[in-house]
Amino acid sequence: MTTALFGHDSSLRHVTPNGHPEQVARVERIMAGLAAPQFAGLDRRDAPECSDADILLCHPQAHLDAITAAEPESGTVALDGDTHMSPGSTMAARHAVGGCVAAVDAVLAGEVGNAFVACRPPGHHAEKATPMGFCLFGTAAIAAKHALERHGLSRVAVVDFDVHHGNGTQDLLWNESRSLFIGSHQNPLWPGTGLPEETGGHYNVMNLPLPPHSDGRLMRATYEAEVFPALARFKPELVIISAGFDAHADDPLAQLNWREDDFVWLTERLCDVADASAGGRVVSTLEGGYDLNALAASVAAHVSVLMERAG
Ligand SMILES: [Zn+2]
């Protein structure tokens, strides 16, 4: 088996204002990196457009309608200080959701060992009825709900190692007792949520704030002490990763000092978790990462591990 790589050209048509860190070039650089000969074995697939019903697994109809209606006919429009839409943004976001849903389908069908979804906009800041932090729809949470509701899984873990707290995924899965959402993130940092006392409606949320300027050693110790024991107790049948690479030392939006080898270590250990209870099944989806060189290198490192572990 191999690793599926989901992408779609619509990711290139979601345009943000000049100088915005969440830019088209992110996906261009990631895909250029994944064109190297060592990635020839990837099972490359188009991320399909999702259905309305996929979005409605986590969001009310009013949110879908508001996003669709907000798309401008030209130029860009700001939904808030960070979050922008251009012509094509709604379709890009629908393919990002569809990529995650299709990745769950492919992994659960045993067509591939694991999958990486390299679409944009990202998703983990989108709350039930509020677009936020460059995100329109909650891609990782929708993937989890899809696995629970439609594939009948009993336990799905979502691990979010983006440097920003995944407030949206937390909001969307707050009362979902069949999921365990675990987020590590820099604190203090935008959006300011993600404190340890936020534990979900069923103790199904775990937050691990990390101090600014800390490095991969603290991350590894924290995951060993808190995250892996919790995942071992939960015994997920599928591991979904919200893979943001903005904890990298070179990232301009935050002050953690992780390196590529930290992302390699973390990916390997999360694959160990999946091996233990989920038959190795991992679906990873792109969130942040804003230094283009660090992003491309970190994604390449992450996907290399996924390929190695897919067998
Ligand atoms: Zn982030």
Side-chain angles (χ1 to χ4, degrees), residues 124-125 162-164 244 246 287-290:
H124 72 148
H125 295 304
D162 188 281
V163 81
H164 302 95
D246 40 9
E287 301 286 1
Y290 304 101

Side-chain angles (χ1 to χ4, degrees), residues 52 55-56 59-71 79 85 90 94 128-129 131 136-137:
D52 287 1
I55 293 168
L56 299 177
H59 298 281
Q61 181 73 46
H63 178 70
L64 171 56
D65 293 344
I67 294 296
T68 306
E71 180 167 312
L79 305 184
M85 291 180 74
T90 311
R94 292 180 70 98
K128 281 192 196 75
L136 304 179
F137 304 126

Side-chain angles (χ1 to χ4, degrees), residues 46-260:
D46 266 342
E49 183 191 348
C50 73
S51 67
D52 287 1
D54 294 334
I55 293 168
L56 299 177
L57 285 168
C58 282
H59 298 281
Q61 181 73 46
H63 178 70
L64 171 56
D65 293 344
I67 294 296
T68 306
E71 180 167 312
E73 286 181 15
S74 63
T76 63
V77 65
L79 305 184
D80 63 27
D82 303 311
T83 314
H84 302 263
M85 291 180 74
S86 71
S89 292
T90 311
M91 195 52 76
R94 292 180 70 98
H95 282 273
V97 171
C100 288
V101 167
V104 168
D105 289 341
V107 168
L108 293 184
E111 295 168 15
V112 293
N114 53 41
F116 182 68
V117 184
C119 290
R120 59 183 285 279
H124 72 148
H125 295 304
E127 298 187 342
K128 281 192 196 75
T130 313
M132 194 172 153
F134 321 154
C135 303
L136 304 179
F137 304 126
T139 45
I142 291 170
K145 281 290 213 182
H146 173 66
L148 293 166
E149 299 287 343
R150 298 186 180 137
H151 286 279
L153 297 197
S154 303
R155 292 178 309 282
V156 174
V158 180
V159 180
D160 184 332
F161 60 70
D162 188 281
V163 81
H164 302 95
H165 177 234
N167 61 291
T169 308
Q170 173 171 300
D171 179 53
L172 299 174
L173 296 178
W174 186 263
N175 284 314
E176 177 48 80
S177 62
R178 298 169 294 175
S179 69
L180 175 63
F181 171 65
I182 302 182
S184 64
H185 41 270
Q186 179 180 319
N187 183 276
L189 186 67
W190 187 94
T193 48
L195 301 178
E197 51 266 39
E198 297 165 28
T199 54
H202 307 273
Y203 296 103
N204 56 318
V205 168
M206 176 182 272
N207 282 303
L208 301 143
L210 299 168
H213 309 295
S214 62
D215 62 15
R217 286 171 299 182
L218 179 64
M219 178 276 285
R220 295 183 196 211
T222 303
Y223 272 76
E224 292 284 14
E226 311 268 352
V227 177
F228 301 133
L231 287 168
R233 286 192 296 274
F234 182 66
K235 296 185 174 59
E237 298 166 320
L238 171 69
V239 175
I240 295 172
I241 302 176
S242 259
F245 298 92
D246 40 9
H248 193 284
D250 294 343
D251 197 274
L253 296 197
Q255 293 82 41
L256 292 194
N257 290 315
W258 302 8
R259 298 285 180 185
E260 279 94 88

